[in-house]
């Protein structure tokens, strides 16, 4: 039987396990990336592991999230990351060089290689045929130390593309269509592979827009073949030697096939507050817009920016609209400025922001009260923009630019015919903002620089025989890590200070959550379906750990968060009978009796509701390694028990 692209990539890196969907596999990691909002914690964990130098083929530490320096905290964290990178053998991408995923695609990604990154949008690398997976910081730290990366063998989904996109219809509309079909939990446990004749019509940046936002499907990753188009892109980046071909076998077998005719697609938008609330722009109608933000790791490539410049050329941004543009990288900004497109953008009245995540993670540009913001980003979760009652719509760069001019949500096809933008045959190569590490011989002379904001991270204790504690919080379906551990300009500077961060945990769901946890000393969280979707931030596990959360009992979990909980020593359980979710109320006293024996002996776990005198059977599908981690109280304790070997 032939293999899919995903299966080929896994097979060539498989270290442990069998390629049976649902079973744990261990794979070799060739490259890692971190960004600063998760990186400080990842490097603290890496330092705690005592590894002298990274053992991957390439590891890059990017600074792109926490770029506002309103106090010493972010600057100190960046200095810490830079010093670790220099000493331990990583490349360091300075603030201003660009968003990790965009820069990695341009300068470092290689078809056929594996990449894990402490950011959920790491699958952007699937656009050039990498197996690129988002993971928690601790998993990335282990991979940097040469350790195996463990995940569950995914099922294979083929999205078969036919036809070609019409004028003003964009790669963003393709992934929005996939989200409409599959939903934010439709990709859990799957690799989404793109194939069919339509693939040949898509450039690498367009493919990367699609694989990037596969994160919103909950997928393990998304991937495109590596073909002549990939080769041309790498050649234009001066990296033709990094190319290798990759395609699925003609007789590859997929678990699921979705057909999309590109010719019939129209401009789409994801409505507040979920990326899968997709409707056509024409259907939503001409709603008034206060803000338009163009950029983010989904849509900040040179091609995207050139399209935007073309639409804005000779036009004026509407009086009531604030239009911001964040090019994805220094390379993109440099090329825009050299060819005059930047002038077209600025002349229209757009505001130029630095090459960073910026408004996407609430680092500035929070909309006005009840404001409507159109964004070319990938997430529109409630409150993520920093304005609790703002309504965020996710759209293509074409729809965003057209709407910025008119002042209302506009189908860009109303503008006529889009001129074709061509991929340049060569990009400007300038790696001046990438710092190299010192040689191993010089490493002793480099000091790791810790700032006063860096506080020790919490560790768990061995799992006790039984746990009795209240249900501190009960939440519904699709709870995001932005609910659990919000981000934004005011909170992000404390990513290395868990005690301070704890004050903000679950604030959107219950503003007293943190105090109630501290008063109870320990507790449980009851969750709905797809609990923990969204980002890779392990803070959404470490902060609950600090607050005494012992287990999360939910209808189902998102992949990265589930792994982060286990790494932290918090037990994720699912209800055997989904209806039992309805029987538990906040503050009910619950008990996991004999839980240590249950897990070590692989027996069914039972949750006793002491308040209601009821019992609910629970499921847990831990691998032997995960069981050992839970019994030890998390990955770090487990690693110590193993004598440092994971
Ligand atoms: C995000 O888009 O939510 C982030 C910020 O990039 C996160 C990482 C983080 O929380 O630092 C992600 O997607 O993993
Ligand atoms: Fe940055 Fe937004 Fe991309 Fe996350 S989704 S990496 S915050 S641009």
């Amino acid at each position: 039987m032939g293999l899919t692209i995903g299966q080929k990539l896994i097979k060539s890196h498989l270290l442990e396990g069998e390629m049976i969907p649902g079973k744990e596999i261990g794979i070799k990691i060739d490259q890692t990336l971190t960004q600063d909002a998760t990186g400080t914690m990842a490097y603290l964990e890496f330092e705690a592991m005592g590894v002298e130098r990274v053992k991957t083929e390439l590891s890059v530490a990017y600074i792109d999230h926490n770029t506002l320096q309103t106090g010493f905290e972010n600057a100190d964290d960046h200095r810490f990351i830079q010093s670790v990178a220099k000493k331990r053998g990583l490349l360091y991408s300075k603030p201003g060089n660009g968003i990790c995923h965009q820069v990695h695609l341009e300068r470092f990604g290689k078809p056929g290689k594996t990449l894990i990154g402490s950011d959920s949008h790491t699958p952007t690398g699937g656009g050039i045929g990498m197996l690129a997976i988002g993971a928690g910081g601790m998993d990335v730290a282990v991979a940097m130390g040469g350790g195996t990366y463990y995940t569950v063998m995914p099922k294979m989904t083929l999205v078969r593309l036919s036809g070609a996109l019409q004028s003003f219809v964009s790669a963003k509309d393709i992934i929005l269509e996939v989200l409409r079909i599959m939903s934010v939990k439709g990709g859990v446990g799957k690799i989404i592979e793109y194939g069919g004749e339509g693939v040949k019509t898509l450039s690498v940046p367009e493919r990367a827009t699609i694989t990037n936002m596969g994160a919103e499907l909950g997928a393990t990753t998304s991937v495109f073949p590596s073909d002549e188009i990939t080769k041309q892109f790498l050649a234009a980046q001066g990296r033709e030697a990094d190319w290798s071909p990759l395609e699925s076998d003609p007789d590859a077998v997929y678990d699921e096939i979705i057909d999309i005719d590109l010719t019939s697609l129209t401009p789409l938008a994801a409505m507040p507050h979920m990326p899968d609330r997709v409707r056509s722009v024409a259907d939503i109608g001409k709603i008034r817009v206060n803000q338009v933000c163009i950029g983010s790791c989904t849509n900040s490539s040179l091609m995207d920016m050139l399209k935007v410049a073309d639409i804005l050329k000779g036009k004026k941004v509407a009086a009531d609209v604030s239009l911001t543009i964040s090019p994805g990288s220094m390379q993109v900004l440099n090329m825009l400025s050299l060819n005059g497109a930047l002038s077209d953008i600025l002349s229209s009245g757009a505001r130029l922001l630095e090459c960073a995540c910026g408004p996407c993670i609430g680092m500035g540009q929070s909309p006005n009260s009840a404001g409507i913001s159109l964004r070319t980003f990938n997430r529109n979760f409630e409150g993520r923009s920093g304005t609790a009652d703002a309504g965020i719509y996710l759209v293509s760069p074409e729809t965003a630019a057209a709407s910025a001019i008119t002042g209302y949500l506009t189908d860009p096809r109303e503008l006529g015919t889009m001129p074709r933008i061509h991929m340049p045959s060569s990009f400007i190569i300038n790696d001046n903002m990438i710092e190299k590490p010192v040689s191993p011989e010089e490493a002793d002379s480099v000091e790791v620089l810790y700032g006063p904001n860096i506080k020790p991270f919490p560790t768990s204790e061995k799992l006790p025989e039984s746990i009795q504690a209240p249900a501190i919080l009960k939440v519904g379906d699709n709870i995001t890590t932005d609910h659990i551990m919000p981000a934004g300009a005011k909170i992000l500077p404390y990513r290395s200070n868990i005690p301070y961060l704890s004050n903000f945990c679950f604030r959107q769901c219950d503003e007293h959550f943190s105090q109630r946890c501290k008063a109870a000393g320990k507790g449980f969280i009851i969750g709905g379906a797809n609990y923990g979707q969204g980002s890779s931030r392990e803070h959404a596990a470490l902060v609950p750990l600090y607050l005494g959360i012992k287990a999360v009992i939910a209808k189902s979990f998102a992949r990265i968060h589930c792994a982060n909980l286990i790494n932290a020593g918090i037990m994720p359980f699912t209800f055997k009978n989904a209806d039992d979710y309805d029987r538990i109320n906040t503050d009910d006293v619950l008990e996991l009796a004999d839980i240590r024996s249950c897990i070590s002996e692989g027996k069914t776990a039972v949750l006793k509701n002491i308040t209601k005198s009821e019992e609910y059977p629970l499921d847990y599908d831990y691998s032997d390694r995960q069981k050992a981690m839970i019994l030890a109280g998390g990955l770090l304790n487990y690693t110590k028990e193993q004598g440092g070997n994971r």
Side-chain angles (χ1 to χ4, degrees):
M1 194 176 73
L3 296 179
T4 69
I5 298 173
Q7 288 165 340
K8 286 186 181 183
L9 286 164
I10 291 172
K11 191 172 174 206
S12 59
H13 290 83
L14 193 68
L15 297 175
E16 283 176 45
E18 285 178 78
M19 289 171 49
I20 302 169
K23 295 281 169 226
E24 190 175 73
I25 49 168
I27 51 179
K28 177 182 179 296
I29 296 302
D30 302 321
Q31 301 188 347
T32 65
L33 69 80
T34 56
Q35 40 90 337
D36 47 336
T38 52
T40 314
M41 193 54 75
Y43 294 112
L44 285 171
E45 290 157 350
F46 183 72
E47 288 299 289
M49 287 172 192
V51 179
E52 292 287 325
R53 212 161 164 92
V54 290
K55 300 203 170 87
T56 49
E57 290 174 14
L58 173 96
S59 286
V60 191
Y62 291 93
I63 306 295
D64 54 1
H65 281 62
N66 295 354
T67 53
L68 285 184
Q69 291 170 213
T70 50
F72 64 89
E73 292 87 356
N74 288 339
D76 278 8
D77 283 359
H78 296 166
R79 193 181 54 163
F80 163 70
I81 294 173
Q82 181 166 13
S83 65
V84 175
K86 193 169 179 184
K87 190 177 178 76
R88 306 286 178 208
L90 294 95
L91 294 179
Y92 174 74
S93 173
K94 291 163 85 173
N97 192 41
I99 305 173
C100 54
H101 309 303
Q102 177 65 27
V103 178
H104 208 84
L105 196 75
E106 291 168 357
R107 307 301 309 135
F108 303 114
K110 285 189 193 176
K113 297 284 180 185
T114 52
L115 163 73
I116 65 166
S118 61
D119 192 280
S120 63
H121 291 102
T122 304
T124 313
I128 43 169
M130 299 189 89
L131 184 74
I133 304 179
M138 207 162 331
D139 284 332
V140 177
V142 168
M144 288 192 291
T148 305
Y149 173 63
Y150 294 92
T151 190
V152 169
M153 180 65 200
K155 289 186 175 170
M156 302 291 146
T157 296
L158 175 66
V159 178
R160 202 160 44 192
L161 305 176
S162 59
L165 292 172
Q166 300 290 298
S167 214
F168 286 113
V169 186
S170 197
K172 182 61 156 280
D173 299 312
I174 304 177
I175 185 62
L176 287 174
E177 173 69 359
V178 180
L179 271 153
R180 190 187 66 75
I181 297 169
M182 294 186 78
S183 90
V184 289
K185 44 183 186 291
V188 177
K190 299 176 186 171
I191 290 185
I192 317 289
E193 206 164 296
Y194 290 82
E197 285 301 297
V199 162
K200 297 196 187 114
T201 68
L202 298 172
S203 66
V204 165
E206 289 176 303
R207 296 174 181 187
T209 291
I210 294 168
T211 55
N212 170 285
M213 218 175 154
E216 278 50 67
L217 297 164
T220 302
T221 190
S222 303
V223 68
F224 272 83
S226 170
D227 55 12
E228 281 303 310
I229 292 170
T230 322
K231 189 177 181 178
Q232 279 161 23
F233 174 81
L234 287 170
Q237 291 285 353
R239 304 204 285 125
E240 193 172 342
D242 288 347
W243 182 75
S244 58
L246 182 63
E247 60 181 3
S248 59
D249 291 329
D251 55 344
V253 178
Y254 292 88
D255 299 284
E256 175 186 37
I257 297 183
I258 293 172
D259 282 297
I260 295 181
D261 172 15
L262 299 182
T263 318
S264 65
L265 281 186
T266 61
L268 300 172
M271 302 194 304
H273 301 287
M274 255 327 130
D276 61 358
R277 292 200 63 219
V278 175
R279 278 175 63 190
S280 79
V281 168
D283 274 1
I284 298 171
K286 298 190 179 310
I287 50 169
R288 281 266 153 223
V289 171
N290 306 100
Q291 184 191 51
V292 176
C293 298
I294 299 178
S296 94
C297 55
T298 318
N299 278 121
S300 59
S301 67
L302 179 66
M303 304 294 282
D304 282 333
M305 294 294 157
L306 289 175
K307 285 189 224 169
V308 167
D310 199 83
I311 294 171
L312 295 177
K313 187 173 183 166
K315 307 271 173 26
K316 181 176 183 292
V317 173
D320 297 335
V321 173
S322 167
L323 169 64
T324 71
I325 309 273
S326 335
S329 68
M330 193 251 251
Q331 181 184 75
V332 173
L333 181 55
N334 224 341
M335 291 190 71
L336 284 177
S337 63
L338 272 179
N339 83 358
L342 184 63
S343 172
D344 295 333
I345 292 175
L346 295 177
S347 303
S348 70
R351 301 165 64 181
L352 184 67
L353 306 182
E354 68 179 324
C355 304
C357 301
C360 180
I361 194 54
M363 258 300 150
Q365 311 309 325
S366 299
N368 56 278
S369 296
I372 296 297
S373 177
L374 302 189
R375 299 177 164 205
T376 65
F377 306 170
N378 46 36
R379 292 190 171 139
N380 58 349
F381 304 143
E382 195 169 5
R384 178 176 160 105
S385 67
T387 302
D389 58 0
I392 311 295
Y393 290 71
L394 305 175
V395 296
S396 70
E398 291 88 332
T399 301
S403 307
I405 298 166
T406 60
Y408 51 81
L409 180 65
T410 301
D411 185 329
R413 292 174 301 172
E414 289 175 20
L415 302 181
T417 311
M418 179 87 199
R420 269 206 82 67
I421 308 284
H422 294 287
M423 176 77 79
S425 55
S426 62
F427 289 91
I428 297 173
I429 314 293
N430 175 339
D431 292 333
N432 280 347
M433 292 182 92
I434 296 179
E435 296 296 327
K436 294 205 175 73
V438 297
S439 67
E441 296 72 43
E442 293 163 315
D444 279 350
S445 65
V446 181
E447 190 193 344
V448 174
L449 302 168
Y450 295 87
N453 185 41
I454 295 181
K455 300 281 182 267
F457 53 86
T459 48
S460 184
E461 2 167 282
K462 276 190 174 183
L463 182 66
E465 191 51 36
S466 299
I467 305 172
Q468 199 182 96
I472 306 248
L473 184 69
K474 182 175 176 182
V475 288
D477 292 348
N478 292 326
I479 283 294
T480 71
T481 53
D482 281 272
H483 289 102
I484 306 172
M485 199 51 254
K490 294 187 190 120
I491 307 176
L492 276 170
Y494 300 96
R495 280 289 179 94
S496 49
N497 184 343
I498 299 289
Y500 183 80
L501 272 189
S502 71
N503 299 318
F504 302 91
C505 190
F506 270 119
R507 207 176 44 174
Q508 206 180 317
C509 305
D510 171 5
E511 57 175 324
H512 302 298
F513 176 79
S514 171
Q515 291 100 302
R516 292 178 47 239
C517 284
K518 284 174 186 161
K522 56 186 168 186
F524 298 116
I525 292 171
I526 308 299
N530 201 22
Y531 178 88
Q533 69 157 325
S535 85
S536 67
R537 63 190 72 149
E538 58 189 335
H539 306 77
L542 291 176
V543 172
L545 169 69
Y546 173 82
L547 289 171
I549 297 301
K550 303 295 178 196
V552 181
I553 303 115
K555 290 184 185 167
S556 67
F557 287 89
R559 177 185 64 87
I560 309 178
H561 185 60
C562 190
N564 285 342
L565 285 173
I566 296 176
N567 283 350
I570 298 179
M571 293 172 286
F573 290 109
T574 52
F575 291 101
K576 209 177 243 323
N577 310 315
D579 293 349
D580 287 342
Y581 166 88
D582 299 319
R583 308 191 65 84
I584 303 176
N585 293 331
T586 309
D587 290 334
D588 281 0
V589 175
L590 307 173
E591 187 182 29
L592 285 168
D594 305 323
I595 191 63
R596 189 173 176 91
S597 315
C598 282
I599 290 184
S600 38
E601 290 158 29
K603 289 190 301 206
T604 302
V606 174
L607 182 69
K608 290 187 180 166
N609 189 332
I610 311 274
T611 308
K612 299 214 171 83
S613 303
E614 293 176 346
E615 291 192 352
Y616 320 116
L618 302 178
D619 276 334
Y620 60 95
D621 190 14
Y622 309 152
S623 66
D624 288 345
R625 188 187 60 90
Q626 288 174 323
K627 276 185 199 162
M629 264 160 59
I630 289 288
L631 295 175
L635 176 56
L636 280 181
N637 291 349
Y638 168 70
T639 310
K640 277 184 212 144
E641 276 183 8
Q642 305 286 302
N645 301 318
R646 196 191 182 208

